[in-house]
Amino acid sequence: MSEAAKIVTHRRLAYGHPAEDFARTAQLWSALLGCPIHARQVALCMIALKLSRECHQHRQDNLVDVMGYALALEALEESPSRI
């Protein structure tokens, strides 16, 4: 199992399915920003954050996290009823 997949599995055990975890984050971001944010957008924004950091300075954890968020995004796409 890749490092990213291990992290996603661990996060799922700790925080629930990405659809539930990212939906909670989306609700908080929506309240803070005053506009609707969806779970899928949370995953995409987290990928963008890691890419921005990688553009500044290479760190292996940036790339691992991008892969992890991409796996979480895939899980969101597989479970649209949970979003």
Side-chain angles (χ1 to χ4, degrees):
M1 183 182 299
S2 74
E3 185 177 353
K6 287 179 188 176
I7 291 169
V8 169
T9 299
H10 178 265
R11 296 289 190 265
R12 186 176 289 195
L13 293 172
Y15 304 117
H17 190 279
E20 297 160 357
D21 182 21
F22 289 10
R24 284 190 304 271
T25 302
Q27 287 177 330
L28 291 167
W29 288 7
S30 295
L32 288 169
L33 298 171
C35 63
I37 304 293
H38 303 283
R40 187 172 187 281
Q41 292 169 308
V42 171
L44 292 170
C45 287
M46 295 306 294
I47 290 169
L49 171 71
K50 288 300 188 166
L51 291 174
S52 173
R53 289 179 178 176
E54 182 64 20
C55 288
H56 173 71
Q57 180 180 7
H58 169 68
R59 291 181 54 112
Q60 185 63 26
D61 75 299
N62 290 329
L63 303 178
V64 170
D65 288 349
V66 165
M67 289 185 282
Y69 286 120
L71 289 170
L73 181 60
E74 180 179 50
L76 292 175
E77 299 298 331
E78 292 171 356
S79 301
S81 63
R82 296 180 80 167
I83 298 174

